[in-house]
Amino acid sequence: MVNLSSLNKSQREAVETIKGPVLVLAGAGSGKTRVITYRIAHMINNGIYPNKILAVTFTNKAAREMRERLSELLGNETVKKLTVSTFHALGVRILREDGLKLGIQKNFVIYADSDIERVIKTILKERYKIDKVEAYIVRRIQYIILEAKSNKITPQTFPTENITEEMMLAQKVYEHYEEYMRIFGAVDFSDLLLKPVLIFENFENIKKKYQKRFNYIMIDEYQDTNDIQFQFINHIINDNQNICVVGDDDQSIYGFRGANVGNILQFATQYKNAKEVKLQQNYRSTENIIHAANSVIAKNSVRNKKTLFSNLGKGEKIKLYLLEDPEHEANKVAEKIQSYLRKDIKPKDIAIMYRSNHQSRVVELKLKEREIPYKVVGSLDFYNRKEIKDFMSYLIMLVFPNDEIHLKRIINYPTRGIGSTTIQKISEYAHNNKKTFFNALKDAYKLGIAKKTQDGIKTFLDLIKKYDKILNNIVSEKELYNFVDEIKFVEQLNNESKSDKVANAKKRNLILFIEGMVKYITKANITLEEYLIKFALEPDSAKNEEEVDEVTLLSIHASKGLEFPYVFLLGFNEGILPHQRSLDTKKRTDLEEERRLCYVAITRAKKELIMTAIENKIMNGNAFHYELSRFLDEIPPEIIKWIDYTDGKSDVPLEEVKGAVMNNLEKLFDF
C-alpha cells in the first residue's frame, strides 16, 4: 500500500481525487511528478487495473522519470502493464495497430526534418523537373505542409481560393508528398498526431476500442498541448470523463510551436463538474527567488491565479549586474563562475541561461579562456554528424527497405560505381512501374545499365539480404563491426577525411555510437527495429548517460523542467527579455508569453540567481543602447542587490537607487 503521509494537503487532495475531471494547477517546483506518480500508484492500490491507465507527457525524459518513480512505488512488473508515453510514442502505437486503415504499413519509418527536405527535393526534381532549388524554398514548402498538418488540413482540404503562388505550389507538393511517404513506408512527426485523429474521426469502432482500453487518463504539462493534441486526447476520453490534467499556465512558453494555453485555461469550462486543485508550495527555491517570480507573473492578466510560497528560508538576494556590453557581460559571468569553482561548487550545479541562442557565443569564448568545462544544450547534435547519419541509413535500410531516402543516401557510399544518372534511371523506372526503389534495383539488368554498375548494385543487394537476417534480432558489437568491415565504411572514412586526425575522430564517433546502441538494445532486450523506432522518437537513446560535470548553457525555452542551484540569466534588457518581436507586435499575448519566459527562468534557480543587463551592443558597426527590462520594475526592490560594474561601483543595494533608476536612468548611470 502506497503511503501518502509524505504529501502536503493539496498534493494529497490531487492524489486521492480519482473519479471525474480534475485540473491540477502545479506551480513551479511544487512536486508535480510526485503527485502524478503517487496518484497512479493510489489508483492501482484501490483496485484499478494498470492496463486501464494512460499517462501522457511531452518528453521522453519525463516519461522515463515517471516510469522509474512508479517502479520504486509499484515494482517493475506492474509498471510494464501501464501505458506511460509521450504523445508521439502513443501515436506510433496507434498507427502500428490501426494505421492500415489509412494505408500506413505496420513497419513504417519515422522521418526527421532533414529526411522531409530530401523528399520535397525529390518531388521538385522528379515531378517538376527542378534540378536546382533554393534551400529556403524547400524549407518554406516544408513549413507550409507541416503547419497544415498541425491544423488538421489534408491535401484534399487545403484552401485553394485566394492563395499565393507559393501556397499553390506547396499544396501540389503536399499531394505528391503524401504519395511518396506512402511508397517509402514513412511518416513524419506531424503524422504521429494527425493520422490517429483522422482514424478516430473516420472509424468509430477504433475510437471506441481506445475509449474502452483507457478508463483513466492523465496528461502532464497540459499547458503545452496544441490543438491537434487536444483533439487526440478528447477522442479517447470516454463517457466517465476520468481525465486528470496537470500543468501550469504560468509556464506556457511554447506558443511559437502552436501550444494553446487556452486548453488549460478553459478546462473548467469544457468540464463543468471539474475539480480544481492548486499546488502552490515550492520545494525548489528560496523565498526571495519565489517572491521575485510571483511578482513578475502577477502582472499577466490572463491566468489562473495562484501564489507560490517556499519554506526554504529567504536565501540570497537576487543580484543584478549592470555591464557595458556582451563581452563585458560574458567576462564577468565567467569570472564569477571561476570564483564559485574555487569554493568547490560543482560546474554541473551552474547554469547560464539566455533568451536567444546567439547570446551564448561570447560566453563560450570566455569560459574556454578560463578552461571552465561547459556544454551547450541545443548545439549541433552528435547524431547529426555525417558519419553517424550515414551508418544509421544502413541500419534503417536493413529494417525498412522501402525507405528510398536513406537507400539513395548510401547506395553509392562507399563508392560502388552507381552514379546519379543510374539512380535517376532507376527512379524513373520505379515510378513508371509503381515499384519501390529497392525492388526496382533488382530489375537493373533490364535498364541498359553498364555491367560494372549492375555488379555494384548486385553486391549491395546481396549485402542487405545477408545482414537483414543477422541484424534484425538482438545485435552484438561483433556483428555490427563485421557489417562495418564488409561495407568498407572505415576505409571510406579514411579516404574522404583531410587528415588522420579527422578520420580518427570520425571513427571514434562511430565506435561511441555502436557501443551506446548495443548497450541500449541489450539492456532493453529489444530488436534493431524497435531500437530504430525509439531512436527516431528519442535520439538521445544511444547517448552515454553518465553525468558530466560541466556548466550548462541553455536557452530559457530549453530550461523547462530543469533546476540548478546557481543560475545566471543574461540580457535583462528591453529588446532581449522581453524580446523585440513582442515589443514590435504590441500584442498583449506576446508580451505575456515573454513574462512567462521570465517566470520560468527565475524559477529554475534554487539558491542564487544573478541577472545581467548590458548598456550597449555593436551590431553591423552600429552601436545600440539598451534599457533595463520592464520586468525589473515588477520585482520588489528590497530583494535585489544592484551591482554596477560600469563605473567602478559595486554592491550598491538596488533599493537605494530604484526610484531614480526608473525615473532618470540616463542621468544616474551616464548611459
Side-chain angles (χ1 to χ4, degrees):
M1 201 72 174
V2 63
N3 186 353
L4 305 183
S5 61
S6 62
L7 303 175
N8 66 37
K9 183 179 178 181
S10 297
Q11 289 175 333
R12 187 157 185 162
E13 183 182 9
V15 166
E16 293 181 329
T17 307
I18 294 175
K19 300 290 185 180
V22 182
L23 170 61
V24 180
L25 292 168
S30 62
K32 170 175 65 71
T33 305
R34 183 179 179 82
V35 165
I36 294 172
T37 51
Y38 269 76
R39 189 175 189 271
I40 292 171
H42 181 67
M43 284 193 285
I44 292 170
N45 286 160
N46 279 271
I48 295 169
Y49 291 112
N51 58 4
K52 292 292 184 182
I53 299 171
L54 168 65
V56 184
T57 188
F58 270 78
T59 68
N60 294 287
K61 180 184 176 185
R64 268 202 314 273
E65 182 183 352
M66 205 177 290
R67 279 191 289 265
E68 288 167 2
R69 292 203 193 182
L70 284 165
S71 292
E72 293 172 5
L73 293 171
L74 300 167
N76 289 333
E77 291 308 309
T78 300
V79 172
K80 286 178 183 177
K81 299 172 186 175
L82 289 164
T83 301
V84 180
S85 171
T86 63
F87 274 100
H88 288 96
L90 181 60
V92 168
R93 179 173 173 172
I94 291 169
L95 293 183
R96 294 268 181 231
E97 195 169 323
D98 296 296
L100 279 172
K101 294 290 186 182
L102 298 181
I104 298 171
Q105 300 299 315
K106 286 183 181 292
N107 66 331
F108 58 80
V109 64
I110 303 168
Y111 274 4
D113 285 347
S114 58
D115 301 320
I116 295 170
E117 288 180 20
R118 291 165 76 96
V119 174
I120 293 171
K121 285 179 182 176
T122 299
I123 292 167
L124 293 173
K125 183 175 182 179
E126 293 184 358
R127 295 298 180 94
Y128 296 96
K129 307 303 179 187
I130 304 175
D131 287 329
K132 292 184 179 180
V133 58
E134 296 288 344
Y136 81 91
I137 294 176
V138 174
R139 285 194 292 269
R140 276 294 298 162
I141 292 173
Q142 179 179 352
Y143 172 81
I144 291 168
I145 291 173
L146 298 184
E147 185 71 6
K149 289 189 177 193
S150 69
N151 287 290
K152 211 173 70 176
I153 297 172
T154 65
Q156 292 72 36
T157 60
F158 200 95
T160 55
E161 293 183 5
N162 301 320
I163 61 172
T164 63
E165 288 186 14
E166 179 187 64
M167 292 289 283
M168 198 176 299
L169 175 61
Q171 189 268 338
K172 291 176 181 177
V173 171
Y174 189 5
E175 289 181 14
H176 297 310
Y177 174 83
E178 290 292 277
E179 178 191 352
Y180 273 62
M181 294 290 275
R182 181 181 55 76
I183 293 170
F184 297 168
V187 299
D188 57 43
F189 270 84
S190 296
D191 287 329
L192 299 180
L193 301 176
L194 171 62
K195 297 300 169 69
V197 169
L198 295 177
I199 289 172
F200 295 147
E201 289 181 349
N202 291 284
F203 302 95
E204 185 72 16
N205 61 321
I206 295 176
K207 181 170 76 170
K208 287 189 179 299
K209 178 179 73 172
Y210 288 99
Q211 288 178 345
K212 185 177 180 181
R213 181 178 297 179
F214 300 121
N215 285 339
Y216 297 85
I217 298 174
M218 294 190 69
I219 312 295
D220 188 17
E221 302 288 8
Y222 194 64
Q223 77 282 346
D224 292 335
T225 53
N226 60 23
D227 292 342
I228 200 80
Q229 288 161 337
F230 176 81
Q231 293 177 54
F232 189 123
I233 289 300
N234 275 279
H235 277 300
I236 58 176
I237 296 171
N238 58 32
D239 292 339
N240 63 32
Q241 295 190 342
N242 291 329
I243 177 170
C244 174
V245 301
V246 184
D248 181 8
D249 50 292
D250 290 337
Q251 295 185 72
S252 179
I253 59 174
Y254 297 122
F256 68 98
R257 292 183 190 168
N260 183 356
V261 69
N263 291 342
I264 192 169
L265 291 172
Q266 294 159 16
F267 186 83
T269 303
Q270 182 185 6
Y271 298 98
K272 301 295 184 184
N273 60 334
K275 180 164 186 175
E276 182 181 290
V277 181
K278 293 182 180 180
L279 307 182
Q280 299 178 97
Q281 182 171 356
N282 177 282
Y283 292 91
R284 175 190 299 157
S285 309
T286 61
E287 291 177 28
N288 281 334
I289 291 170
I290 294 304
H291 191 11
N294 282 334
S295 300
V296 170
I297 202 63
K299 300 297 182 182
N300 271 2
S301 59
V302 180
R303 61 186 290 261
N304 284 304
K305 188 177 179 182
K306 55 192 169 299
T307 304
L308 296 183
F309 66 93
S310 168
N311 293 330
L312 299 179
K314 286 196 176 297
E316 296 279 337
K317 287 188 176 184
I318 293 167
K319 296 182 181 69
L320 177 68
Y321 290 178
L322 182 64
L323 301 151
E324 293 169 359
D325 53 34
E327 184 168 357
H328 188 198
E329 177 183 51
N331 201 49
K332 187 56 65 176
V333 167
E335 182 183 295
K336 181 64 176 176
I337 290 174
Q338 205 163 39
S339 74
Y340 278 150
L341 301 184
R342 285 195 291 267
K343 296 175 185 175
D344 293 329
I345 292 170
K346 295 183 181 299
K348 67 182 180 183
D349 289 336
I350 303 168
I352 302 171
M353 293 167 49
Y354 33 80
R355 175 62 180 84
S356 302
N357 286 317
H358 68 79
Q359 290 174 261
S360 73
R361 293 169 191 160
V362 65
V363 180
E364 290 185 65
L365 292 174
K366 298 303 178 184
L367 294 176
K368 283 178 181 175
E369 287 176 6
R370 288 174 168 76
E371 298 183 345
I372 296 172
Y374 71 91
K375 63 180 178 183
V376 182
V377 175
S379 59
L380 178 63
D381 192 76
F382 174 78
Y383 304 104
N384 278 327
R385 298 176 187 275
K386 183 179 182 297
E387 60 272 20
I388 304 301
K389 293 183 78 170
D390 288 336
F391 187 66
M392 276 296 295
S393 291
Y394 268 102
L395 298 181
I396 290 168
M397 263 305 305
L398 292 171
V399 178
F400 308 107
N402 288 345
D403 182 352
E404 184 171 322
I405 295 300
H406 290 96
L407 171 54
K408 285 181 176 178
R409 182 184 181 101
I410 48 88
I411 190 171
N412 199 41
Y413 184 90
T415 304
R416 299 184 179 89
I418 307 170
S420 57
T421 301
T422 299
I423 291 172
Q424 181 63 29
K425 187 177 289 188
I426 294 171
S427 288
E428 290 174 358
Y429 172 80
H431 177 71
N432 293 335
N433 291 274
K434 299 190 182 305
K435 291 191 173 191
T436 65
F437 188 85
F438 183 77
N439 285 330
L441 283 174
K442 299 172 185 177
D443 294 340
Y445 67 92
K446 299 178 180 178
L447 307 180
I449 293 172
K451 180 67 167 60
K452 186 177 180 181
T453 303
Q454 287 186 44
D455 291 343
I457 292 173
K458 185 177 185 305
T459 300
F460 175 78
L461 291 173
D462 289 345
L463 192 68
I464 296 300
K465 184 177 180 180
K466 174 182 178 180
Y467 277 92
D468 77 344
K469 298 186 186 309
I470 296 173
L471 297 180
N472 261 320
N473 298 306
I474 304 294
V475 297
S476 68
E477 284 188 33
K478 181 180 178 181
E479 289 167 341
L480 284 168
Y481 286 127
N482 286 341
F483 181 55
V484 168
D485 287 342
E486 195 151 353
I487 61 178
K488 297 182 172 56
F489 200 86
V490 172
E491 185 179 316
Q492 179 66 24
L493 291 179
N494 288 330
N495 292 338
E496 70 185 12
S497 300
K498 294 180 180 179
S499 67
D500 290 343
K501 184 178 179 180
V502 172
N504 289 335
K506 290 182 176 184
K507 284 182 271 188
R508 178 61 182 159
N509 289 337
L510 182 64
I511 291 169
L512 286 172
F513 174 75
I514 290 174
E515 286 177 350
M517 179 175 67
V518 172
K519 182 180 177 182
Y520 188 97
I521 286 174
T522 304
K523 183 179 178 182
N525 192 32
I526 58 176
T527 64
L528 179 60
E529 178 178 352
E530 290 169 317
Y531 173 81
L532 292 173
I533 294 166
K534 284 181 176 291
F535 185 92
L537 291 171
E538 183 183 4
D540 287 351
S541 305
K543 269 188 181 172
N544 185 342
E545 294 188 357
E546 293 178 12
E547 193 174 61
V548 180
D549 196 9
E550 298 171 324
V551 174
T552 302
L553 278 67
L554 73 171
S555 70
I556 302 173
H557 283 102
S559 74
K560 186 95 171 309
L562 303 178
E563 57 184 45
F564 303 89
Y566 305 90
V567 170
F568 291 84
L569 177 54
L570 305 186
F572 214 62
N573 295 91
E574 289 288 287
I576 301 177
L577 182 66
H579 196 281
Q580 189 60 45
R581 280 195 302 270
S582 69
L583 305 180
D584 291 340
T585 63
K586 297 181 180 178
K587 290 181 180 177
R588 175 189 54 77
T589 52
D590 289 348
L591 185 59
E592 293 206 348
E593 180 148 330
E594 290 294 307
R595 189 174 280 109
R596 293 195 293 267
L597 270 170
C598 182
Y599 172 83
V600 166
I602 292 171
T603 54
R604 299 312 94 193
K606 298 170 71 174
K607 291 183 177 180
E608 288 188 32
L609 173 63
I610 296 176
M611 303 185 300
T612 66
I614 59 174
E615 288 187 330
N616 302 292
K617 182 177 180 180
I618 304 297
M619 291 179 63
N620 300 322
N622 299 314
F624 289 84
H625 164 70
Y626 283 99
E627 293 185 358
L628 295 174
S629 171
R630 67 186 64 199
F631 300 148
L632 179 63
D633 196 31
E634 298 169 358
I635 300 175
E638 63 271 15
I639 64 171
I640 298 183
K641 186 175 184 178
W642 177 277
I643 303 176
D644 183 358
Y645 285 110
T646 62
D647 59 1
K649 297 178 185 177
S650 64
D651 295 347
V652 180
L654 183 59
E655 58 265 30
E656 293 181 11
V657 294
K658 180 72 175 183
V661 169
M662 304 320 297
N663 294 326
N664 199 357
L665 280 171
E666 292 188 8
K667 181 179 178 182
L668 182 64
F669 291 106
D670 192 27
F671 282 173

